[in-house]
């Protein structure tokens, strides 16, 4: 009998992506529908509100097509997040874990490819008519989406696929989004003031927002099905990267063997995916995911927790914390856990570990 493909053997390599063409097509039947939805024009990209969440207008038709047409496979693993919460890092870690026996760490694909190339964002593939690439990926696949849980394609839920979700202190998500937004501006567009971004974010009018509803949907699902939905916090990844890497490996069915642990393979994964390592790679300095897009350094800005301190006055921080507390009340989840002092310690620890 032929051996079943296992994620522990590493997902087969993806076909190289076509980089020299502009986004070829958006699915037109959904584009008409999108243009009738509520519009938010305050960010560098236009947003449309669909089923309670604000989607980038360019991506939404693809997300709708994906919702209708995507066929999951039982051994698919999904990396899920509200943007700017640690997606790039989580993709790198998951990919490094499942490919650890396939590639030596000094010749690993993550040294020459951005994590977004190793683990594709399905939403974008569908929005550019390149969904056949996703279909063509051999099993087992690691795929990424920013869709909220309520909008995930039905087959992902009915097949009980493994879902890994990462969230982050909303204050740092906002700061990260603001910087990224200003990098994405088209020529001649003024950067948006932080205060404006703050107001829109608190109102929930931000890409894939409201953030709290996005996080809560996955949190609740992780409480219902803990063996199928792994819920992670960016700050705990910073604090205890080794523990999280071991947890991730176990969750996707490729636990580290005692020999691997003794040989320092967990440390190797943490090191390969560390912020400083990733940020220093040529592909992540000057590379681009698409010709018309920002250079990959935009995904590796500062890293760490607590940068909100440099952009928000205490009153703004308190206001955003209050919104978060109110939204999460009764859920058992907290997102404001990292105070300034703790953030400084965490960052120092991370530097020491890598
Ligand atoms: P995306 O949704 O556009 O993919 P995402 O990766 O979720 O973005 O978030 C980007 C943040 O993760 C950036 O945070 P900052 O703006 O506060 O600096 C980025 O620096 C951080 N980040 C990226 N890679 C890593 C990593 N390897 N370790 C820690 N943080 C990382």
């Amino acid at each position: 009998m032929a051996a079943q493909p296992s994620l522990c053997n590493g997902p087969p390599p993806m076909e190289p992506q076509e980089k020299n063409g502009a986004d070829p097509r958006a699915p037109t039947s959904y584009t008409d529908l999108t243009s009738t939805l509520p519009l938010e024009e305050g960010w560098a990209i236009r947003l449309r509100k669909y089923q309670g969440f604000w989607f980038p207008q360019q991506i939404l038709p693809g997300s709708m097509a994906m919702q209708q047409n995507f066929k999951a496979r039982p051994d698919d693993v999904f990396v899920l997040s509200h943007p700017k919460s640690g997606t790039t890092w989580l993709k790198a870690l998951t990919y490094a874990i499942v490919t650890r026996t396939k590639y030596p760490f000094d010749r690993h694909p993550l040294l020459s490819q951005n994590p977004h190339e190793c683990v594709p964002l399905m939403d974008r593939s569908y929005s550019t008519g390149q969904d056949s690439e996703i279909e063509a990926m051999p099993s087992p696949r690691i795929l990424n989406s920013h869709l909220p849980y309520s909008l995930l394609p039905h087959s992902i839920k009915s097949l009980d696929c493994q879902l890994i979700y990462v969230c982050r202190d909303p204050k740092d998500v906002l700061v990260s989004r603001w910087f990224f937004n200003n990098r994405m501006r088209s020529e001649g567009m003024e950067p948006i003031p932080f205060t404006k971004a703050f107001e829109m974010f608190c109102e929930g009018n931000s890409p894939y927002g409201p953030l709290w509803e996005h996080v809560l949907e996955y949190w609740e699902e992780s409480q219902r099905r803990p063996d199928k939905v792994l819920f992670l916090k960016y700050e705990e990844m910073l604090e205890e990267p080794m523990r999280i890497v071991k947890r991730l490996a176990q969750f996707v069915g490729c636990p580290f063997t005692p020999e691997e642990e003794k040989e320092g393979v967990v440390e190797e994964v943490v090191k390969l995916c560390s912020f400083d390592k990733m940020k220093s790679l040529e592909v992540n300095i000057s590379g681009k995911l698409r010709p018309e897009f920002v250079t990959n350094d935009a995904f590796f800005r500062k890293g760490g927790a607590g940068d909100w301190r440099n952009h928000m006055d205490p009153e703004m921080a308190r206001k955003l914390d209050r919104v978060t507390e109110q939204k999460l009340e009764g859920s058992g989840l907290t997102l404001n856990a990292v105070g300034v002092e703790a953030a400084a310690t965490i960052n120092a620890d991370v530097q020491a570990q890598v």
Side-chain angles (χ1 to χ4, degrees):
M1 208 170 80
Q4 287 295 309
S6 153
L7 201 61
C8 307
N9 301 327
M14 278 182 67
E15 292 298 317
Q17 296 211 355
E18 203 49 67
K19 283 201 185 180
N20 53 1
D23 287 356
R25 70 175 165 87
T28 43
S29 53
Y30 296 105
T31 308
D32 294 345
L33 172 58
T34 302
S35 63
T36 64
L37 297 171
L39 175 66
E40 167 63 67
E41 293 188 281
W43 300 90
I45 46 171
R46 290 177 156 200
L47 306 180
R48 294 281 182 176
K49 195 169 197 181
Y50 176 61
Q51 301 201 0
F53 291 89
W54 287 99
F55 289 84
Q57 175 172 283
Q58 254 200 325
I59 299 252
L60 182 54
S63 299
M64 291 171 167
M66 179 172 105
Q67 215 189 353
Q68 292 297 314
N69 302 319
F70 175 72
K71 286 187 181 46
R73 301 176 196 159
D75 55 1
D76 285 340
V77 170
F78 295 90
V79 171
L80 302 151
S81 62
H82 178 284
K84 303 299 153 201
S85 302
T87 326
T88 314
W89 191 14
L90 183 57
K91 283 186 184 192
L93 288 172
T94 311
Y95 188 74
I97 287 166
V98 302
T99 54
R100 68 183 187 266
T101 55
K102 196 165 180 171
Y103 306 109
F105 285 105
D106 60 352
R107 270 173 287 140
H108 197 277
L110 281 166
L111 297 171
S112 53
Q113 282 178 284
N114 177 271
H116 295 287
E117 294 177 284
C118 297
V119 178
L121 175 65
M122 294 157 57
D123 320 31
R124 173 152 290 283
S125 305
Y126 272 85
S127 75
T128 56
Q130 288 163 319
D131 43 297
S132 55
E133 280 177 6
I134 303 286
E135 296 297 323
M137 279 173 75
S139 293
R141 303 180 294 187
I142 309 175
L143 299 168
N144 166 230
S145 174
H146 289 313
L147 283 184
Y149 183 79
S150 55
L151 298 187
L152 282 184
H154 178 68
S155 61
I156 297 179
K157 299 175 187 176
S158 63
L159 288 176
D160 234 6
C161 296
Q162 301 287 111
L163 313 183
I164 310 167
Y165 185 77
V166 62
C167 67
R168 187 183 190 187
D169 185 329
K171 303 191 289 305
D172 282 331
V173 173
L174 165 60
V175 169
S176 189
R177 162 58 60 190
W178 179 65
F179 274 101
F180 195 74
N181 181 79
N182 289 339
R183 279 288 301 271
M184 286 209 307
R185 278 173 301 137
S186 40
E187 234 174 272
M189 194 186 268
E190 287 294 312
I192 58 168
F194 185 75
T195 46
K196 183 170 183 211
F198 180 85
E199 291 308 328
M200 289 191 290
F201 189 85
C202 287
E203 290 296 314
N205 303 352
S206 55
Y208 295 91
L211 170 129
W212 306 276
E213 278 75 354
H214 200 287
V215 173
L216 271 176
E217 285 191 357
Y218 282 99
W219 169 250
E220 282 162 9
E221 201 52 31
S222 76
Q223 301 297 292
R224 268 194 290 273
R225 299 189 294 133
D227 52 329
K228 291 292 171 185
V229 186
L230 179 62
F231 187 94
L232 300 174
K233 292 181 180 176
Y234 178 84
E235 294 78 12
E236 69 177 351
M237 291 165 67
L238 287 173
E239 216 164 344
E240 293 185 278
M242 302 262 294
R243 180 178 69 80
I244 297 297
V245 164
K246 284 193 250 179
R247 178 76 192 92
L248 264 172
Q250 204 171 32
F251 184 77
V252 297
C254 319
F256 290 91
T257 62
E259 291 72 34
E260 283 184 308
E261 293 205 21
K262 226 184 292 161
E263 286 162 13
V265 179
V266 183
E267 284 91 338
E268 291 284 358
V269 168
V270 170
K271 243 196 268 182
L272 174 67
C273 303
S274 71
F275 181 78
D276 288 346
K277 178 70 188 173
M278 297 249 112
K279 191 178 171 69
S280 73
L281 299 170
E282 196 48 50
V283 64
N284 294 329
I285 296 171
S286 56
K288 283 186 170 198
L289 297 179
R290 301 181 296 285
E292 74 287 2
F293 203 44
V294 293
T295 40
N296 290 340
D297 64 312
F299 294 106
F300 305 90
R301 188 185 65 87
K302 195 161 185 179
D307 189 36
W308 55 266
R309 256 299 169 105
N310 300 315
H311 303 282
M312 268 178 228
D313 60 36
E315 196 185 325
M316 289 171 106
R318 267 196 298 275
K319 179 177 170 186
L320 184 42
D321 277 353
R322 262 200 309 276
V323 174
T324 301
E325 279 152 24
Q326 280 164 7
K327 293 269 194 177
L328 302 189
E329 199 179 347
S331 68
L333 174 66
T334 53
L335 290 176
N336 301 331
V338 180
V340 189
E341 295 73 22
T345 321
I346 288 170
N347 291 330
D349 284 353
V350 172
Q351 294 306 326
Q353 281 179 43
V354 293

